[in-house]
Amino acid sequence: MNPELLAEAKSLGFSDRQIAHLTGQTEDEVRALRKKLGLVPSYRLVDTCAAEFEAYTPYYYSTYDRGDDEVKPNDRRKVMILGGGPNRIGQGIEFDYCCVHAAFALKEEGFETIMVNSNPETVSTDYDTSDKLYFEPLTLEDVLHIYEREGCWGAIAQFGGQTPLNLALGLQRNGVNIIGTTPQSIEVAEDRKLFAAMLRRLDIPQPNNGLATNEIEALEVAQRIEYPVLVRPSFVLGGRAMQIVFSDPELRHYMRFAVEASPERPVLVDEFLEDATEVDVDCIADVGNFEDSSEGTIVIGGILEHIEFAGVHSGDAAMVLPPHTLSAEIIETIRTHTHAMARELRVSGLMNVQYAVKDDVVYVLEVNPRASRTVPFVSKAIGVPLAKLAAKVMAGKSLKELGFTAEIWPKYWAVKESVFPFNKFFGQDILLSPEMRSTGEVMGLDPDLGIAYAKSQMAANSSLPLKGRVFISVSDAHKPKVAEVAKLFVDLGFELMSTGGTAAVIEAAGLKVQRIPKLNEGRPNAIDFLKNKEIQLVINTPSGANPRADEVRIRTTAVVTATPIMTTLSGARAAALGIAALQKQGYEVRTVQEYH
């Protein structure tokens, strides 16, 4: 490695990390050598107004080709905000909302805001969001260059999701002032061993779990915990490669083909709580701004109860705020646990907790001391811009100074529903899993829960029918409860249609149902009726880990024919509640401002 070769490699776009890998060094050693040689990038300006008039928000990009550096220095206090990076299906735009609100809030506090993001399709990269925009990859190398070039006072890693969070410790080691919750606290929440130790200290239950760095260890943990288990890699975005596993062969397949396990990146194996109610909590705290962790304020922004049972990624699940089935005792337990963890982690800014409630026990699934996907939804539901307040807290303000010290419990219902791209991918099964697949979300608000749910379905392009036929086909596990759901629809005036096993259970309950053949038994079958628009709603729950081919065909046909489909009995109950409310009173439209 000589200076000329290093300079050529950098101008061709090789990162320090790639060069370190190719030369058998560490990234830090390559960076040190490069800096010693004075080899740093210069920044060029993209004129956003094409020289027609003065551009007020400069876009910068880095280059190693020798030339003028067009960054104009100034002596304002600067805060760098790390965005969420490139967008993919199953990533969501919610983190971008948080970054934008942080930029607005810090401008109000007199800071110069510097946005680092590499996604042209977001609001954070718009010309009027921040004072300066660096269109650069979110890597340790690139972020450090910008931080040093601008002489920033601090950096925010809490608002861009998992991508900048994974950089936090490395940035801090290299002298970056990470404002808000410390990278050490983030590490406690992300590292399973440290996290489990914290929960034991606080006497908060969590599902049985273990870590595995290879296939044998994974099988040992699964046999100790008992199937089904939830398996996932550590430090992932959008629940990627998360899976519910029901047997040894499935687990072997997962460990061999789905993940690369190593001591640095162990696989997490958790007990999967079947039929548990999942709950998301977003809170804001300024505990980290005080020397003593008993000082400071913690305010819960929202407690959201999932409509689907635990096991669906929170970015995909339909949710209700405030909770609609949880008892006052359970809600109080959730509050107590949330406050205890926020104090223990010395949170400064936002924190998200995911709970599972089963048999009146509240289990903690995970804690993220950062902005979450539900922050924009909660902010709009309660009328308080949580991300803005969090940015001001991270810059040193207290919640008392900002005037937000009490939890807001809305007098109406807010229902979040996710929007999916399944109609673009014909043949792709629409079942939801721990891996996120949605591309957007909508909100339904109303004083009546049924109407709020119905509004969310209309907004997600899946309006609930008021009359017609319901096709029901459920797995053996759900047959004991299917008659009770079927009766809800009969009482609403719907006709029932079903295949063999499910039809027998419905008939045994004294309900009238039209039997139709399964796909391989003859015609007309469910697909024919769907194509002819003779079915108005589908209720179809999956049969175990590997859904049968005919199930997948029915579900994909429902999507193509724009027929509303429920893949859980809890979703079907919510649909019946919505239809009953619509039949009874219809709905009215009001602005969000009127609710506040």
Side-chain angles (χ1 to χ4, degrees):
M1 172 62 71
N2 57 61
E4 293 73 28
L5 183 60
L6 185 57
E8 188 183 354
K10 292 309 288 183
S11 79
L12 288 170
F14 282 80
S15 67
D16 288 352
R17 199 169 171 186
Q18 285 172 310
I19 294 167
H21 175 70
L22 293 168
T23 58
Q25 299 178 70
T26 67
E27 187 178 350
D28 287 344
E29 286 167 345
V30 174
R31 184 184 300 109
L33 171 63
R34 192 167 48 67
K35 284 184 144 180
K36 189 176 161 191
L37 296 170
L39 195 58
V40 292
S42 53
Y43 291 93
R44 302 281 175 82
L45 189 67
V46 177
D47 184 353
T48 50
C49 301
E52 287 183 42
F53 39 87
E54 191 179 349
Y56 286 103
T57 299
Y59 278 39
Y60 294 105
Y61 66 95
S62 63
T63 171
Y64 277 87
D65 294 333
R66 293 293 177 212
D68 293 336
D69 192 309
E70 297 180 314
V71 174
K72 294 190 179 80
N74 64 46
D75 55 3
R76 290 177 65 194
R77 265 212 312 179
K78 303 180 178 80
V79 172
M80 173 195 277
I81 301 163
L82 301 180
N87 249 16
R88 301 174 284 282
I89 284 180
Q91 188 183 331
I93 209 72
E94 302 89 341
F95 296 127
D96 200 61
Y97 163 102
C98 295
C99 291
V100 170
H101 275 244
F104 293 162
L106 292 169
K107 273 187 191 177
E108 288 171 15
E109 295 298 310
F111 290 94
E112 179 172 304
T113 55
I114 293 167
M115 186 71 66
V116 181
N117 206 358
S118 55
N119 182 3
E121 286 298 312
T122 54
V123 184
S124 66
T125 51
D126 279 1
Y127 71 92
D128 57 353
T129 296
S130 54
D131 295 308
K132 287 180 183 169
L133 167 68
Y134 282 83
F135 223 76
E136 293 288 280
L138 286 153
T139 66
L140 187 66
E141 175 185 346
D142 294 287
V143 171
L144 277 174
H145 280 312
I146 300 162
Y147 187 87
E148 288 163 4
R149 179 69 188 81
E150 285 286 356
C152 295
W153 168 73
I156 291 180
Q158 220 184 72
F159 286 155
Q162 196 68 41
T163 309
L165 215 59
N166 288 349
L167 296 175
L169 267 173
L171 290 171
Q172 191 189 48
R173 273 200 302 271
N174 284 280
V176 172
N177 173 27
I178 300 285
I179 62 173
T181 308
T182 65
Q184 285 69 27
S185 289
I186 291 166
E187 187 78 354
V188 170
E190 294 275 355
D191 184 299
R192 285 290 126 174
K193 284 180 182 165
L194 297 175
F195 181 57
M198 179 188 86
L199 292 182
R200 278 196 298 276
R201 251 192 334 273
L202 298 173
D203 198 22
I204 296 174
Q206 74 171 139
N208 286 328
N209 59 70
L211 292 171
T213 56
N214 56 48
E215 190 181 315
I216 293 159
E217 284 180 18
L219 289 165
E220 282 170 4
V221 175
Q223 276 148 15
R224 172 172 62 79
I225 292 171
E226 294 183 1
Y227 291 103
V229 295
L230 181 69
V231 284
R232 53 190 163 153
S234 41
F235 297 96
V236 293
L237 181 71
R240 272 210 302 280
M242 248 197 220
Q243 206 172 311
I244 299 163
V245 169
F246 293 83
S247 64
D248 282 358
E250 269 184 66
L251 185 56
R252 281 195 192 93
H253 185 271
Y254 177 86
M255 293 300 290
R256 283 174 197 173
F257 302 108
V259 290
E260 279 183 43
S262 69
E264 295 78 44
R265 297 265 160 167
V267 169
L268 317 175
V269 184
D270 289 316
E271 174 190 5
F272 178 61
L273 301 169
E274 285 192 283
D275 293 345
T277 302
E278 194 162 339
V279 181
D280 255 82
V281 177
D282 283 308
C283 80
I284 182 168
D286 59 14
V287 179
N289 296 0
F290 297 88
E291 288 293 317
D292 183 351
S293 66
S294 65
E295 290 186 69
T297 310
I298 300 162
V299 184
I300 287 180
I303 300 174
L304 300 111
E305 182 180 342
H306 292 215
I307 288 174
E308 288 86 2
F309 284 128
V312 172
H313 192 283
S314 60
D316 286 354
M319 298 183 192
V320 180
L321 176 112
H324 62 302
T325 69
L326 301 180
S327 68
E329 291 78 17
I330 283 174
I331 290 170
E332 199 44 51
T333 303
I334 286 171
R335 273 198 195 102
T336 306
H337 289 350
T338 305
H339 280 247
M341 289 186 287
R343 288 216 181 275
E344 184 72 15
L345 292 168
R346 299 184 58 76
V347 171
S348 174
L350 292 166
M351 179 177 91
N352 169 264
V353 190
Q354 287 167 22
Y355 293 100
V357 180
K358 185 171 184 184
D359 302 329
D360 290 336
V361 180
V362 177
Y363 297 92
V364 172
L365 299 179
E366 62 177 85
V367 174
N368 295 303
R370 58 165 168 83
S372 74
R373 299 183 186 286
T374 44
V375 164
F377 176 83
V378 171
S379 299
K380 290 177 183 186
I382 65 172
V384 175
L386 294 174
K388 255 185 166 176
L389 295 182
K392 292 184 179 186
V393 164
M394 291 157 83
K397 281 276 172 81
S398 72
L399 285 170
K400 279 181 182 157
E401 285 175 272
L402 297 169
F404 185 56
T405 55
E407 186 180 334
I408 293 172
W409 195 267
K411 293 184 172 61
Y412 45 83
W413 301 95
V415 177
K416 165 184 154 312
E417 183 56 280
S418 300
V419 178
F420 298 94
F422 295 130
N423 58 351
K424 306 280 196 302
F425 300 101
F426 184 71
Q428 171 74 37
D429 195 6
I430 67 165
L431 280 185
L432 303 183
S433 72
E435 190 164 0
M436 185 174 157
R437 302 166 84 184
S438 65
T439 48
E441 61 186 46
V442 296
M443 175 192 241
L445 288 175
D446 203 86
D448 180 289
L449 176 57
I451 298 289
Y453 181 78
K455 283 179 174 178
S456 73
Q457 300 309 298
M458 291 173 204
N461 297 323
S462 185
S463 297
L464 298 173
L466 297 184
K467 58 181 193 297
R469 278 198 187 116
V470 180
F471 171 74
I472 306 179
S473 172
V474 298
S475 67
D476 291 344
H478 296 120
K479 285 198 170 101
K481 293 181 180 172
V482 74
E484 153 202 348
V485 172
K487 187 172 186 313
L488 295 175
F489 286 94
V490 170
D491 293 345
L492 292 169
F494 284 82
E495 293 174 22
L496 302 181
M497 183 180 269
S498 194
T499 53
T502 307
V505 176
I506 294 171
E507 283 168 346
L511 299 172
K512 188 180 170 194
V513 58
Q514 179 185 344
R515 280 180 178 251
I516 59 170
K518 290 184 176 176
L519 302 195
N520 57 357
E521 290 174 353
R523 301 179 74 171
N525 55 41
I527 286 183
D528 299 318
F529 284 110
L530 278 167
K531 286 180 176 171
N532 294 337
K533 299 283 184 186
E534 293 175 67
I535 291 173
Q536 280 64 50
L537 180 74
V538 174
I539 299 169
N540 178 242
T541 68
S543 55
N546 300 308
R548 292 191 295 269
D550 51 352
E551 274 181 45
V552 177
R553 282 179 63 201
I554 289 170
R555 289 194 283 265
T556 52
T557 306
V559 169
V560 170
T561 56
T563 308
I565 174 164
M566 303 293 153
T567 57
T568 61
L569 291 184
S570 51
R573 282 192 199 94
L577 186 71
I579 293 166
L582 285 175
Q583 286 179 349
K584 187 177 164 192
Q585 66 202 61
Y587 66 94
E588 60 171 16
V589 176
R590 293 162 70 193
T591 63
V592 175
Q593 289 78 0
E594 286 176 82
Y595 283 100
H596 299 326

